[in-house]
Amino acid sequence: MNSLTLKIAAVCVFLFAGLSLSAEEIKIKIDKQYLNLPVSHDQDRSKMTFKVDGEPDLSVVIRLAAGNADYWVFKDVSHLKGKTLTISYDGNSEGLNKIFQDDVIVGQDNLYKEKNRPQFHFTTRRGWINDPNGLIYYDGEYHLFYQHNPYEREWENMHWGHAVSKDLVHWEELPSALYPDHLGGMFSGSAVMDYDNTAGYNKGKTPAMIAIYTAAGADKQVQCIAYSLDKGRTFTKYEANPVIDSRHIWNSKDTRDPKVFWYTPGKHWVMVLNERDGHSIYTSSNLKDWKYESHVTGFWECPELFELPVDGNPNNTKWVMYGASGTYMLGSFDGKVFTPEKGKYQYTTGAIYAAQTFTNMPDSRRIQVGWGRISHPEMPFNGMMLLPTELTLRTTKDGPRLFNLPVKETETLFTPVRDWQNLTSDKANDLLKEFYNTDCLRIKTRIKLSHATDAGFNLFGQRIVGYDMNSNTINGVFYSPEDMTSMELSADIYIDRTSIEVFIDDGAYSYSMERKPDTNNKEGFHFWGNNIEVKDLQVFSVKSVWN
Ligand code: FRU
């Protein structure tokens, strides 16, 4: 930390005289890319305020380390070069003098190589993430915005983080896209491209990317818009925000997470908004003036509504509506009213929450990304995005159902290294010994039961697949295969350092979980069950997306 002393030399410390809460402040003339801040969970959260050239800019809460830091977080200040940043802190201010600017973040050398850093899932460099927001494709880039607390590995200070990808698997993290403001934290929402300039923000041939988000204040949650003319790098908030304030109508603080899309037949915008007890539909011609149309009860947070062909047939479509838990209804939609016909059903369970799908895909696929409620022991970041998956509607014995499978782009990450057929479970367990020390792996298998009992697969004592043929459950969740007399089950298992995702029977059901091996377990990779046969067993090595 020798260079730190030099960096602090540029920092002056002032004490506000006469304030009962002794808020101290430092001033830094910005000439580097990042501001590095030390965090200690021994400290309470206290308010930190940033002013740019004397003008109030941002206020967050942070556990600024007074002594040793548990980890460091950062604020990207590259857009502030040449300006003076004033930082004041209401808490124990000893840490103020440790804040320093640099062109790298603390821990840069080891970035993405940390012990518990997922290797083929998106995680943020520092801080907490939850819901994916504003998933959109534009001009060769997939945009992943997301709920982000850049200042701590727990939920707070909601910003919209931002990452872009050309292929849905390799992501580059960019500076925050939306910052908390006087209306509140930047809660979940969506993004559209305003090709027809309905909101009036387009510039020449450049269409505005418009983010529609919830600002969550202490008393109410309101819906707002912001536009970007530089591919989502920077957003300008609409000066007359909010565009919807419905707290009084619902007598509820829970009005949030707008999902907006263009409804082609009606030539208007549709917003699905979670309000109190379900999803409301609003319509608009310009993204600013919204008209309430209808409401479907029984959903909580993070709405989705989209049309899918059944078995790929464009002449036979259904609309899918779901909320944050992913339970869904199938029905019809006329641009104003969603009429539920069937449901609710469940296609995925476990660590997944608040999944959203991409708008403006370059092809006809419906691609979903879900938040993985997974933490990474001892890491300065928390939460992750699960693998991007393609959602399809396929006819089953019970009628049309959602299927969920990793997108084809993920295939580039996996190389087949072993392929065996018709093994006993003992033999399979023996063959898998060579992979005991591999931290990331994909295992594709099909087992055949010979007794109507239960069977499955464990990873160092952790149950990955537990198929109970008596009560028809997989890990406790009801599951009945397409052929209900079948004694077989297939599972495609994606094992990352801290998470496991399992896709059953070609995506008919899927689930995700934290990877929690029992460190004393000697069984390793372990198929179990009464005389089961391992019909297929394929093992794939995994390429890190961070190399
Ligand atoms: C879902 C959610 C959303 C909200 C956001 C806040 O996980 O509670 O309803 O907008 O997270 O971070």
Side-chain angles (χ1 to χ4, degrees):
M1 283 276 177
N2 278 345
S3 61
L4 182 59
T5 334
L6 283 172
K7 280 154 200 146
I8 299 175
V11 170
C12 329
V13 179
F14 298 88
L15 187 63
F16 274 132
L19 279 185
S20 51
L21 274 173
S22 66
E24 285 194 40
E25 65 175 38
I26 55 170
K27 285 185 196 289
I28 306 179
K29 178 110 192 270
I30 300 298
D31 58 8
K32 304 257 194 265
Q33 189 172 354
Y34 302 110
L35 205 61
N36 288 293
L37 305 103
V39 172
S40 163
H41 284 255
D42 291 340
Q43 300 293 324
D44 290 334
R45 286 175 174 165
S46 288
K47 189 163 146 188
M48 178 173 278
T49 306
F50 298 90
K51 284 189 204 156
V52 176
D53 284 345
E55 292 299 316
D57 185 54
L58 176 68
S59 175
V60 296
V61 292
I62 180 170
R63 302 176 191 274
L64 194 63
N68 287 339
D70 294 333
Y71 54 93
W72 289 73
V73 294
F74 67 90
K75 177 176 166 61
D76 192 316
V77 286
S78 45
H79 60 297
L80 301 178
K81 279 190 184 161
K83 303 195 167 161
T84 298
L85 195 62
T86 308
I87 310 170
S88 64
Y89 188 55
D90 284 356
N92 185 335
S93 62
E94 278 169 50
L96 272 181
N97 285 338
K98 294 191 193 151
I99 298 174
F100 69 99
Q101 55 173 328
D102 202 342
D103 283 326
V104 289
I105 67 169
V106 174
Q108 181 90 31
D109 290 349
N110 199 29
L111 194 59
Y112 301 122
K113 298 184 205 108
E114 302 97 333
K115 180 166 171 279
N116 285 327
R117 172 76 70 176
Q119 292 299 295
F120 59 98
H121 288 91
F122 177 79
T123 47
T124 183
R125 284 170 289 178
R126 295 289 181 265
W128 159 278
I129 63 176
N130 54 293
D131 318 351
N133 299 147
L135 300 180
I136 192 165
Y137 175 86
Y138 174 61
D139 200 17
E141 285 181 330
Y142 294 94
H143 293 264
L144 166 63
F145 299 95
Y146 48 90
Q147 293 287 283
H148 188 203
N149 180 5
Y151 297 98
E152 197 185 311
R153 62 182 176 212
E154 300 302 330
W155 186 91
E156 247 303 344
N157 302 317
M158 280 300 113
H159 290 53
W160 271 31
H162 189 198
V164 288
S165 170
K166 290 192 168 20
D167 63 2
L168 289 164
V169 289
H170 298 88
W171 294 96
E172 182 195 349
E173 205 175 335
L174 300 174
S176 301
L178 293 174
Y179 298 82
D181 60 26
H182 64 287
L183 291 172
M186 300 291 101
F187 275 24
S188 286
S190 51
V192 295
M193 294 306 304
D194 188 12
Y195 286 109
D196 293 339
N197 199 23
T198 64
Y201 293 126
N202 293 4
K203 207 169 174 192
K205 290 208 164 67
T206 308
M209 178 185 287
I210 303 199
I212 307 97
Y213 61 92
T214 299
D219 305 323
K220 60 181 177 181
Q221 299 173 343
V222 292
Q223 318 318 318
C224 300
I225 64 172
Y227 70 93
S228 167
L229 294 169
D230 58 1
K231 301 183 181 182
R233 270 54 179 183
T234 56
F235 279 89
T236 306
K237 289 171 178 165
Y238 175 39
E239 69 284 353
N241 275 335
V243 294
I244 298 180
D245 176 352
S246 55
R247 192 207 184 303
H248 53 290
I249 296 169
W250 294 93
N251 189 25
S252 168
K253 245 186 76 173
D254 296 307
T255 55
R256 61 176 176 271
D257 309 339
K259 168 76 191 198
V260 174
F261 60 90
W262 179 251
Y263 183 68
T264 311
K267 298 196 176 62
H268 63 247
W269 297 106
V270 171
M271 178 194 292
V272 197
L273 183 67
N274 190 258
E275 296 188 299
R276 192 178 66 194
D277 54 15
H279 292 347
S280 302
I281 307 280
Y282 288 77
T283 54
S284 172
S285 60
N286 60 6
L287 295 164
K288 293 174 177 166
D289 304 303
W290 291 93
K291 178 167 178 265
Y292 172 84
E293 302 283 358
S294 58
H295 189 73
V296 181
T297 47
F299 288 108
W300 176 245
E301 303 184 321
C302 304
E304 259 296 3
L305 176 62
F306 50 85
E307 189 178 22
L308 276 182
V310 180
D311 304 319
N313 178 359
N315 299 319
N316 178 21
T317 66
K318 295 262 174 243
W319 284 77
V320 180
M321 180 178 264
Y322 64 66
S325 74
T327 57
Y328 66 99
M329 296 177 188
L330 296 177
S332 59
F333 181 59
D334 65 4
K336 296 180 175 177
V337 179
F338 171 77
T339 309
E341 289 162 5
K342 299 252 187 259
K344 292 178 185 168
Y345 306 120
Q346 207 173 24
Y347 66 102
T348 189
T349 64
I352 193 168
Y353 197 70
Q356 291 283 290
T357 67
F358 276 91
T359 302
N360 287 11
M361 281 295 296
D363 51 40
S364 59
R365 291 180 300 167
R366 180 58 59 172
I367 289 179
Q368 171 186 273
V369 173
W371 167 34
R373 290 174 291 183
I374 299 219
S375 42
H376 322 284
E378 293 145 45
M379 293 292 104
F381 56 92
N382 202 346
M384 64 190 276
M385 295 304 160
L386 295 170
L387 285 175
T389 54
E390 181 177 357
L391 298 177
T392 51
L393 269 183
R394 298 191 211 168
T395 303
T396 72
K397 66 180 189 307
D398 302 314
R401 291 290 185 277
L402 267 185
F403 279 61
N404 184 38
L405 277 177
V407 293
K408 60 178 191 290
E409 287 86 340
T410 60
E411 292 292 334
T412 60
L413 301 173
F414 307 105
T415 311
V417 289
R418 296 287 178 273
D419 191 351
W420 296 293
Q421 273 82 38
N422 303 323
L423 306 169
T424 63
S425 52
D426 283 349
K427 181 70 187 167
N429 294 342
D430 201 41
L431 287 169
L432 286 174
K433 279 190 177 142
E434 67 170 298
F435 298 105
Y436 277 17
N437 294 322
T438 318
D439 62 351
C440 296
L441 213 57
R442 175 179 168 200
I443 297 177
K444 218 173 159 176
T445 188
R446 183 163 56 97
I447 56 173
K448 184 166 194 242
L449 284 69
S450 65
H451 292 60
T453 51
D454 55 352
F457 180 66
N458 287 3
L459 197 63
F460 289 90
Q462 179 178 13
R463 180 140 306 179
I464 308 304
V465 181
Y467 183 36
D468 183 332
M469 278 204 53
N470 183 17
S471 44
N472 265 97
T473 53
I474 297 179
N475 294 4
V477 175
F478 184 80
Y479 180 74
S480 164
E482 183 61 13
D483 169 4
M484 56 267 223
T485 66
S486 170
M487 299 294 281
E488 293 187 4
L489 187 83
S490 75
D492 199 351
I493 305 167
Y494 293 78
I495 304 167
D496 203 338
R497 287 188 181 163
T498 52
S499 66
I500 298 172
E501 283 174 84
V502 183
F503 297 85
I504 298 291
D505 290 346
D506 203 28
Y509 171 56
S510 56
Y511 52 96
S512 42
M513 64 181 89
E514 203 157 301
R515 180 175 175 184
K516 279 192 186 146
D518 171 355
T519 43
N520 296 319
N521 182 278
K522 301 276 183 294
E523 276 176 356
F525 294 60
H526 189 73
F527 285 96
W528 51 274
N530 193 347
N531 286 296
I532 66 161
E533 216 182 313
V534 179
K535 300 290 290 179
D536 293 308
L537 180 56
Q538 271 179 290
V539 181
F540 300 75
S541 65
V542 181
K543 278 194 218 72
S544 169
V545 298
W546 303 119
N547 291 331

